[in-house]
Amino acid sequence: MDNPRLSPLLAEAIREFSERGYTSEADLHDWLLRLAAAIEREVPTDAELRRALSFALDRVFAKGTKLRTLAQYVPVVTRYGVDRVQPTLRAELDRRIFAGIELIKLNKRTATQRTLQRFSGWVSSMPAGGSPVKIRELAQEITKPLRQIKYEARRVAIDQGHKLNAAVAHVVAKGNGAVAAIWHDRGQNDHSYDARPAHLARSGKLFLIRGSWAQDDGLVMRRGGVQYTDEIEQPAEMVFCSCYYEYVTSPRALPDDVLTVKGRLWVEQGVGRPRAVHDAVPTPIRKEPTPAQLEAGNYPKGHVRFGGLDVTIETSSGETRRGVGADGKPWATVMPADYGYIRRTIGADDEQIDCYVGPNQDAARVWVVQQQGVGSPLFDEQKVLLGFNSRSVAIETYKHGFSDGVGQIRIGDVLEMSVAEFKRQIDAGSRLLIAM
């Protein structure tokens, strides 16, 4: 047989040396060459291993770049913001595949060498005239490293997946103006995980990002033992580390001890001008964003809290909100109330949930409009109305949010609930259940 399989070939070699012993270095060398060739034929090729790794990491990448996933790590992120850094993200995916396949190829070469070394070590220990052995058991022991190749390849894929997720979150957070990051270790909640003691000790700790816009503007400074992210290894940097960062994009979410005097004033007043009496209704302080800024979502926004919910205000009451419809025609409408989204939530459209914020911060009821599509009775997305004294006022506000007068026909079901029930429905402030 020109290309014998490894198993019968190894059994033949063991039988030969067990019967006559180790008598010739040339014979051993010849068998090593034949076994090496059989191993090369039977173990996965580099191309097969690359395809398997690419498939695994492509799936990690697809899941990791969804807004639903990213919202766990970056509090304010839009689809456009992710698409804008796609070239960088794809480059990181390619880098992870390259690094992973090099590790897998090294593991494969090491497994082959160890198998041949085991065979060689056994042969060289055989006395002249041989010695009886259990062929099958010995073959199993000799080829043990080879059986680990696929297992090690899976471990590499998992590890590179952790590194890829961490890199994706870092790139997106950087593009969204992250100012700090909170370290999280899986061992914090999973006691079966073999956490590194130093990583576990960091869990929940805040690290400032050196050179952030907040630092450049003099809003934050390092003190009180707080470190920069670049002073420690990054999450998932070490082998089989599954730690991650939860990024902070606004100084308003930072503790007072890292804020400068200017930073505290910024938080209290909102970019240098006082906030309105109610925290839920910030005074308009921004210039109207350009069309390019609107598309990118990279213009100053207000960040407020309402009933324990973090809300980003994109357009304040009385400001003009602009966009381009599905038909390609531009539209503009003067907003009847502050309009934005509830942070760290995911709606049916895979975006953070849109909301209107009325003037009454102490309002006890919430209304959720199950909005229908344009010219269609099918469900489109939710619009949440906070801070209104009655259903009628909330619905009128919703209808006036449309420049084309179609607000009435976009209304599907309207759900009413208490603020507490609404918070429960979004799962402790992180998710809005689509089937509310």
Side-chain angles (χ1 to χ4, degrees):
M1 184 182 296
D2 293 335
N3 297 311
R5 295 182 57 80
L6 176 62
S7 181
L9 186 65
L10 179 59
E12 181 185 345
I14 292 173
R15 187 177 298 107
E16 179 176 317
F17 283 103
S18 67
E19 289 176 353
R20 60 184 179 82
Y22 175 49
T23 58
S24 166
E25 184 177 341
D27 283 348
L28 173 58
H29 181 70
D30 179 62
W31 271 110
L32 288 174
L33 291 177
R34 293 171 65 187
L35 291 171
I39 291 172
E40 186 64 26
R41 288 191 297 270
E42 292 196 19
V43 298
T45 66
D46 290 351
E48 290 170 338
L49 292 170
R50 182 182 181 84
R51 282 195 296 271
L53 178 65
S54 296
F55 177 76
L57 292 185
D58 279 339
R59 294 182 63 183
V60 171
F61 183 81
K63 181 179 180 181
T65 53
K66 287 184 176 180
L67 295 182
R68 187 184 297 271
T69 302
L70 284 170
Q72 302 173 55
Y73 312 113
V74 187
V76 182
V77 60
T78 64
R79 172 47 53 192
Y80 180 85
V82 176
D83 291 343
R84 192 168 39 131
V85 294
Q86 271 290 342
T88 304
L89 298 180
R90 296 298 307 187
E92 183 60 33
L93 171 61
D94 292 340
R95 193 165 79 92
R96 290 293 117 218
I97 291 174
F98 177 80
I101 195 60
E102 289 303 307
L103 282 172
I104 290 172
K105 286 161 62 176
L106 175 62
N107 289 340
K108 188 176 83 166
R109 289 195 298 270
T110 301
T112 299
Q113 291 168 359
R114 288 178 60 198
T115 298
L116 296 176
Q117 287 169 355
R118 287 183 175 212
F119 175 75
S120 180
W122 171 74
V123 170
S124 61
S125 69
M126 291 296 292
S131 177
V133 296
K134 295 181 178 179
I135 294 176
R136 183 170 181 175
E137 291 181 5
L138 179 58
Q140 287 286 320
E141 182 62 27
I142 289 173
T143 57
K144 185 177 180 179
L146 295 179
R147 296 195 299 277
Q148 296 292 311
I149 290 177
K150 289 186 178 180
Y151 170 74
E152 291 298 332
R154 287 194 296 272
R155 279 168 56 87
V156 168
I158 292 170
D159 187 44
Q160 292 299 320
H162 290 152
K163 290 173 168 54
L164 178 59
N165 274 333
V168 166
H170 171 74
V171 170
V172 173
K174 183 178 179 182
N176 280 265
V179 299
I182 301 170
W183 183 286
H184 290 283
D185 190 292
R186 176 179 155 192
Q188 186 177 5
N189 299 311
D190 182 0
H191 299 301
S192 65
Y193 174 67
D194 187 18
R196 291 177 170 86
H199 289 188
L200 193 57
R202 285 183 201 142
S203 205
K205 288 187 176 180
L206 180 85
F207 296 83
L208 291 176
I209 295 176
R210 194 193 302 270
S212 70
W213 66 268
Q215 187 179 52
D216 290 344
D217 285 353
L219 306 182
V220 300
M221 69 179 298
R222 171 183 171 177
R223 55 187 171 190
V226 174
Q227 293 179 281
Y228 288 117
T229 56
D230 61 10
E231 292 181 313
I232 59 173
E233 72 273 10
Q234 298 306 294
E237 181 179 328
M238 300 184 74
V239 178
F240 302 123
C241 172
S242 58
C243 296
Y244 64 92
Y245 272 141
E246 177 188 357
Y247 289 92
V248 178
T249 56
S250 171
R252 291 188 176 88
L254 296 176
D256 285 346
D257 57 358
V258 298
L259 295 174
T260 63
V261 173
K262 181 181 178 182
R264 292 191 184 96
L265 185 64
W266 188 94
V267 169
E268 290 299 320
Q269 296 182 346
V271 200
R273 289 187 57 178
R275 231 182 249 188
V277 174
H278 294 296
D279 186 45
V281 190
T283 300
I285 54 177
R286 305 175 300 277
K287 293 181 180 180
E288 186 172 322
T290 65
Q293 287 177 316
L294 282 170
E295 184 180 7
N298 61 348
Y299 56 92
K301 306 178 182 73
H303 296 281
V304 302
R305 288 184 67 81
F306 183 96
L309 300 169
D310 289 326
V311 179
T312 292
I313 302 300
E314 295 179 308
T315 311
S316 293
S317 177
E319 290 185 345
T320 301
R321 184 172 180 82
R322 304 178 190 276
V324 178
D327 57 2
K329 295 180 180 179
W331 55 264
T333 185
V334 176
M335 298 308 292
D338 293 334
Y339 180 82
Y341 53 84
I342 304 170
R343 296 168 59 180
R344 293 183 292 278
T345 57
I346 296 294
D349 56 353
D350 275 341
E351 301 284 354
Q352 297 181 90
I353 301 163
D354 297 334
C355 68
Y356 291 89
V357 180
N360 184 5
Q361 190 182 10
D362 299 319
R365 309 299 290 173
V366 177
W367 289 270
V368 181
V369 174
Q370 306 285 50
Q371 181 171 288
Q372 298 178 162
V374 179
S376 168
L378 298 179
F379 172 78
D380 177 34
E381 60 177 319
Q382 301 99 347
K383 298 288 184 181
V384 176
L385 295 121
L386 308 167
F388 296 95
N389 292 328
S390 66
R391 174 191 170 103
S392 61
V393 174
I395 296 304
E396 282 302 310
T397 300
Y398 169 83
K399 290 192 291 187
H400 281 92
F402 291 83
S403 60
D404 53 6
V406 299
Q408 179 63 55
I409 64 174
R410 298 293 299 275
I411 299 174
D413 291 335
V414 179
L415 307 176
E416 179 180 349
M417 63 195 73
S418 67
V419 174
E421 172 63 13
F422 177 73
K423 291 173 68 176
R424 188 190 72 78
Q425 287 278 7
I426 61 173
D427 189 19
S430 62
R431 291 286 186 273
L432 176 65
L433 303 180
I434 293 173
M436 282 177 57

